[in-house]
Every structure is written in C-alpha cells, then in structure tokens.
Amino acid sequence: DAAQAQILSAMANESPTALNDLDWHAIIDNLTATKQYAFTEMSRIAHAIARAKLPLACEYIETALESKEKVIVFGHHRDVLTAIANRFNPHSVLLLGGHGADQPRIIMEAQDKFNNDDNCRLFVGGISIAQAYSLKGSSTVVFVEESWIPGEFSQAEDRAHGIGRGETDPKSMSITHLTFEDSLDTKKAKLNIAKQKSIDKAMNR
C-alpha cells in the first residue's frame, strides 16, 4: 500500500523532518478507505457464500425436518433467511430485526407461533437479535451463516436451551454450522473456536 510504504521509507531514513513532511491526513484517509474496502469486500463475499449455500442449506433443513422435532435456523442476511422461510412456508416463522418500536411484539408473536402451533415446524431468525425469547420443541439448531462474534452463537443457542422458561438443566442440543471448506466461512469458524477457548480459559470454564 502506498501510504504504508511512504511511512516505512521515512522511518527507514530515521529523519524527523521526513516524518514531519508526511501528509498525515491523506495517509489516514487512505488507510481508512483501505480498511473500509476490505470490510465491504468481506461482507460481499460472505453474502455470496450464503446465497450459494441456499440449495444445500434447504436440503439439509428438509432432511432435519424429517424427524419428529422442530428445527431452528439462524443466519445474517435478510434475503437468505427470507428465502429459507419461504421455501418451507406455511410451516415456518421468520424473525428479522428492523421493526423499531414493534420489535418486542413481533418477537413474541414469532416465539408463540413456533412454540404453540404444531404446524409451525421451522423457526428462521437473525442471529444478531437472538435474545429475549425462548423456543420450545426443538433440540436442533442450524447456523447457515457464520459470525465474527462467538457470543452471538452462544446467545442463539440459548434460545433453544430452555433459557427463560425456568428450566434448571439445559437439554442436549444438536448444533450444526453449514460451511464451505476453505472459504471465509471456515476462517470465521476457526477464529470463533479460538476466541471461545480464550474466553472459556479467562472465565475458568
């Protein structure tokens, strides 16, 4: 990167004058733009991977639904989650964010439908809002997209663990992450495993 090369060159010359002559505002703008581009590009790749996984994800979910239990699915992108919910409509319920003041009511409606309607066998929700509700009737959780934040996985898994229902002992769960080998998905998963191990070690778990 040109900005980094300019800084390194000035430092290599050990010249305070050279460092003072640098256009720091331009360098900072350049580095910020570079980071923003990298983030945008990773987001684009993650979205493309999620869309490419849709047929396989739906096939996996369909197989999981062949058991007597209901299934819970989490992901990030609205179009991906909507496509999954539509694929299994009318036996699915979709919970996304962005409803403003109506969000608490919509969360409760989605929770009640999944918990109390025997015909609703699939819950599809955004991982970033996976909190403040509790789901019954399923021990199968599927993540169709990966997150950079291990805590989001824990929060999502807790939705089916009996958290909030007064159950003292969480039930055993089958938790599956659908990833493409050697993709950004894999890198996220490995990074999250490492992060979670560090968190567990810090908390003596």
Side-chain angles (χ1 to χ4, degrees):
D1 167 282
Q4 290 171 318
Q6 194 178 3
I7 294 171
L8 290 173
S9 175
M11 292 178 69
N13 293 330
E14 298 182 351
S15 168
T17 303
L19 286 172
N20 289 335
D21 288 342
L22 292 176
D23 186 346
W24 290 105
H25 289 293
I27 290 170
I28 291 170
D29 287 344
N30 180 279
L31 291 173
T32 301
T34 300
K35 288 180 180 178
Q36 183 61 43
Y37 173 78
F39 179 79
T40 301
E41 185 64 9
M42 280 195 296
S43 296
R44 185 193 67 77
I45 292 170
H47 193 188
I49 290 172
R51 290 169 63 91
K53 281 192 292 186
L54 262 175
L56 296 175
C58 287
E59 183 179 334
Y60 184 91
I61 293 165
E62 188 167 10
T63 300
L65 285 169
E66 291 176 359
S67 69
K68 293 182 180 180
E69 281 202 331
K70 298 183 176 187
V71 174
I72 300 168
V73 171
F74 290 108
H76 286 288
H77 292 94
R78 299 176 74 89
D79 59 336
V80 173
L81 297 175
T82 300
I84 292 172
N86 288 343
R87 166 66 180 77
F88 296 96
N89 188 54
H91 305 293
S92 63
V93 60
L94 176 64
L95 178 60
L96 300 173
H99 297 289
D102 289 333
Q103 191 72 39
R105 174 182 59 79
I106 290 171
I107 288 174
M108 288 301 104
E109 288 177 355
Q111 171 190 272
D112 292 345
K113 182 176 180 180
F114 184 78
N115 289 348
N116 303 320
D117 184 348
D118 291 338
N119 290 319
C120 182
R121 305 201 60 236
L122 177 66
F123 177 94
V124 183
I127 190 173
S128 62
I129 59 164
Q131 49 191 306
Y133 62 88
S134 191
L135 303 174
K136 295 189 296 184
S138 176
S139 60
T140 302
V141 177
V142 180
F143 292 97
V144 296
E145 296 182 80
E146 293 299 295
S147 170
W148 291 109
I149 307 168
E152 288 190 338
F153 291 126
S154 299
Q155 284 282 353
E157 291 164 10
D158 284 349
R159 297 316 96 216
H161 262 309
I163 306 298
R165 296 202 302 269
E167 297 177 13
T168 55
D169 296 317
K171 59 182 176 180
S172 61
M173 305 292 298
S174 169
I175 299 170
T176 302
H177 293 253
L178 301 182
T179 64
F180 279 154
E181 189 175 358
D182 296 327
S183 70
L184 182 60
D185 268 359
T186 312
K187 294 183 185 298
K188 283 183 178 181
K190 288 180 178 179
L191 182 61
N192 271 304
I193 290 170
K195 284 181 179 178
Q196 192 60 58
K197 285 181 178 178
S198 296
I199 292 170
D200 291 344
K201 185 177 181 180
M203 299 182 70
N204 293 318
R205 291 194 298 206

